[in-house]
Amino acid sequence: EAAVATQSSGSSGINAEYGERTLQPILAFLVKHVTDPKHCTVLVDVAHILSDLYAPILGMSPAIDKLFGRLNQRLKWEIKAQEQYMKLQGAMECIFTASGME
């Protein structure tokens, strides 16, 4: 199993110790819990930092690429669900306003 990052320092700031075995459980946790309301504020920030940090090395590990892809899909799904929720909430507010039930 090859390590994702082999550089000890550089522009990406990635250390060898944060290889594939270390990153996989973190990404799996993010994929599973990033949309949980109890954790989403912190985990979205973590996902953003990891994406920035590991972007230069994407393509070096199929397993890591797959997890980043799943995280991306999960976030896209959540954004779409939130957009639908906001549309529904707006429609309900219009109905309540029209009926005088604010």
Side-chain angles (χ1 to χ4, degrees):
E1 196 170 303
V4 172
T6 57
Q7 59 218 81
S8 59
S9 64
S11 61
S12 65
I14 301 168
N15 293 324
E17 67 185 81
Y18 296 105
E20 187 172 338
R21 279 188 234 143
T22 304
L23 188 56
Q24 274 185 319
I26 295 168
L27 286 174
F29 183 86
L30 282 172
V31 169
K32 185 174 182 180
H33 297 287
V34 73
T35 59
D36 184 337
K38 295 181 286 186
H39 309 295
C40 69
T41 304
V42 173
L43 294 183
V44 167
D45 288 341
V46 171
H48 183 76
I49 291 166
L50 287 177
S51 296
D52 287 345
L53 185 63
Y54 286 94
I57 59 161
L58 285 177
M60 296 176 79
S61 168
I64 297 299
D65 292 350
K66 183 177 179 181
L67 284 167
F68 269 115
R70 287 178 53 207
L71 179 60
N72 186 36
Q73 288 296 79
R74 183 76 184 247
L75 290 171
K76 282 182 181 180
W77 179 86
E78 182 64 19
I79 290 168
K80 189 173 183 176
Q82 290 294 325
E83 288 171 348
Q84 294 289 336
Y85 169 74
M86 296 302 289
K87 286 178 185 177
L88 178 61
Q89 186 177 11
M92 289 175 63
E93 285 177 10
C94 287
I95 292 169
F96 291 147
T97 301
S99 67
M101 294 180 58
E102 284 186 77

